[in-house]
Amino acid sequence: MGCFFSRRRKPAQGGQQQLQGAGQDAAAGEQKAPQYSWDLRAKIDPKDYTFSGLKNETVGRLPGKVAGQQFVIQDCEDCKIYIFDHSATITIDDCVNCQIFLGPIKGSVFFRDCKDCKCVVACQQFRTRDCRKLEVFLCCATQPIIESSTGMKFGCFQYYYPELALQFKDAGLSIFNNTWSNIHDFTPVSGENNWGLLPETAVVQDYVPLPSSEELKVVRVSTEATKSIIPITRGQRQKNSDESCLAVFFAGDYTTANARKLIDEMTSKGFQLVQTKEVLMKAEDAHRVFQQSALEFIPLLEKGPVIALEFNGDGAVEQCQSTINEVFSGTKVFVSESKASASQDVDNFYNFADVQMGM
């Protein structure tokens, strides 16, 4: 008959070791629990990526503070808003009389039910719906679209701050692909025009002034046209001359710098930059665009995308050829051979480019 105070029998020595081993294995299992990438990500607070219900305020985000996230701006009135960073997408809803700068957007920016706003925007896709009187300095890689919107005005993106070039790269946008003036109106009205172009003399700072808050002043912004990260183009505006010239730079270590140099050289002499493109080409494309010169340039196409520039003005072909020979003697550049062939060169290239980019 057992006693209540009987000692509990000790387990066998081997059993004790087994228990200890099991405990150690369990502890090790806890320590070695798998970690996944989503467990290591910093928690995202939607409030950090939203401006909502603001009135008479100056707000913004500094470089590095958005870092490719989505952003929402809604129900703001009489505000100055600056997003000095790249983002995934941005929606702007029900904003009135706001001045807005949006850094490079990898995807789309969508304005809905906004009115009397002035904006500077760089994006892959631009769209408005049910908006009234928006004035936008735009860089858009694809054809901008407006829908059920009136009183829309567009100009070419003009802006600079030191971090902007890298932000364009992070957003996957080329500074040479900008269709700012090629607007598609989904809901046209017979006999009316829902959109137009801002004056050529329009100055960005008169529409979206530099930020006044101490927090945002640290961003070294310039709105001078000559410093703009985006080359300023005439777009769909009427050309001043019947003579245009096509210059195409092939991929290399200094392609972008060379293209910018030619733009500076030509515009300083009074010629106008009509449009630019950066696009990949194949051998069959070369025959259509470069025709008799194709065999010379085909090997260069494998190195990467080409950058094409169209200049306009009397004597553009001769001046472009002269500048290429003087300044870029060691660089392969296709340039229109004569005034007679230049217009066809331009049409051949940009028709090809528009097809490649799905426009």
Side-chain angles (χ1 to χ4, degrees):
M1 186 171 164
C3 173
F4 184 76
F5 295 103
S6 296
R7 288 186 181 178
R8 193 168 45 182
R9 187 173 61 181
K10 292 183 179 180
Q13 188 174 1
Q16 179 68 25
Q17 291 174 344
Q18 289 174 354
L19 288 172
Q20 290 176 347
Q24 291 170 353
D25 290 344
E30 291 177 1
Q31 292 173 358
K32 296 180 180 178
Q35 284 188 316
Y36 301 99
S37 58
W38 51 83
D39 295 324
L40 302 176
R41 291 177 186 162
K43 297 288 185 180
I44 294 177
D45 187 345
K47 292 180 182 178
D48 293 334
Y49 305 96
T50 302
F51 290 136
S52 180
L54 305 179
K55 189 170 183 178
N56 292 311
E57 292 192 42
T58 296
V59 294
R61 290 289 182 267
L62 294 172
K65 295 299 183 181
V66 179
Q69 298 294 329
Q70 298 180 7
F71 210 96
V72 174
I73 302 170
Q74 60 188 14
D75 300 311
C76 293
E77 184 176 353
D78 300 319
C79 288
K80 295 180 176 64
I81 300 170
Y82 305 85
I83 306 297
F84 290 125
D85 205 359
H86 69 102
S87 56
T89 62
I90 296 184
T91 55
I92 302 98
D93 294 324
D94 299 291
C95 289
V96 178
N97 196 35
C98 290
Q99 297 163 313
I100 302 171
F101 172 83
L102 302 178
I105 302 163
K106 185 173 185 176
S108 64
V109 59
F110 200 175
F111 288 82
R112 297 177 294 200
D113 299 290
C114 295
K115 63 180 180 179
D116 298 313
C117 291
K118 297 175 173 60
C119 312
V120 181
V121 179
C123 59
Q124 176 74 21
Q125 298 176 328
F126 177 92
R127 188 169 181 180
T128 71
R129 189 174 67 204
D130 299 318
C131 291
R132 181 165 60 86
K133 291 184 66 178
L134 300 190
E135 295 173 318
V136 186
F137 290 87
L138 179 63
C139 173
C140 186
T142 56
Q143 187 173 28
I145 294 173
I146 65 172
E147 181 181 359
S148 302
S149 299
T150 60
M152 311 292 288
K153 300 287 185 182
F154 295 91
C156 184
F157 182 102
Q158 302 173 37
Y159 221 78
Y160 170 84
Y161 53 87
E163 300 85 354
L164 190 53
L166 183 57
Q167 292 172 3
F168 264 87
K169 184 177 180 180
D170 288 340
L173 300 179
S174 168
I175 63 172
F176 295 104
N177 290 333
N178 184 11
T179 61
W180 66 270
S181 64
N182 188 19
I183 311 298
H184 177 69
D185 187 352
F186 254 150
T187 52
V189 178
S190 180
E192 298 182 19
N193 195 352
N194 292 323
W195 67 275
L197 303 182
L198 291 169
E200 289 186 62
T201 55
V203 177
V204 170
Q205 199 167 327
D206 294 340
Y207 293 77
V208 181
L210 301 184
S212 57
S213 70
E214 292 301 320
E215 177 194 8
L216 299 174
K217 279 183 179 179
V218 300
V219 182
R220 292 180 291 152
V221 174
S222 173
T223 58
E224 292 182 27
T226 55
K227 293 184 178 180
S228 176
I229 192 74
I230 297 295
I232 298 173
T233 55
R234 287 188 64 77
Q236 299 292 314
R237 289 192 175 101
Q238 185 174 354
K239 297 177 182 178
N240 291 340
S241 169
D242 292 334
E243 182 177 348
S244 286
C245 179
L246 177 70
V248 179
F249 287 85
F250 299 89
D253 293 336
Y254 307 104
T255 308
T256 297
N258 287 340
R260 296 302 300 252
K261 177 66 174 175
L262 182 60
I263 291 170
D264 291 342
E265 291 283 337
M266 291 293 287
T267 54
S268 70
K269 294 177 172 64
F271 297 97
Q272 294 182 318
L273 182 64
V274 177
Q275 57 181 329
T276 65
K277 279 285 191 296
E278 183 171 12
V279 65
L280 286 166
M281 296 184 70
K282 299 177 182 178
E284 56 267 31
D285 304 321
H287 287 289
R288 182 168 37 159
V289 174
F290 305 128
Q291 300 182 24
Q292 64 267 25
S293 303
L295 293 178
E296 177 185 357
F297 297 119
I298 284 175
L300 302 175
L301 300 180
E302 298 177 358
K303 296 181 179 181
V306 302
I307 294 174
L309 315 172
E310 179 191 351
F311 296 100
N312 181 258
D314 293 341
V317 172
E318 182 180 353
Q319 184 59 59
C320 195
Q321 290 173 340
S322 175
T323 303
I324 292 293
N325 292 333
E326 292 175 8
V327 182
F328 305 99
S329 56
T331 303
K332 280 284 188 180
V333 185
F334 171 85
V335 61
S336 298
E337 293 184 357
S338 67
K339 180 179 177 180
S341 66
S343 295
Q344 189 62 51
D345 291 338
V346 170
D347 289 343
N348 287 343
F349 183 87
Y350 286 103
N351 288 339
F352 146 76
D354 288 344
V355 171
Q356 284 291 99
M357 300 178 72
M359 298 188 58

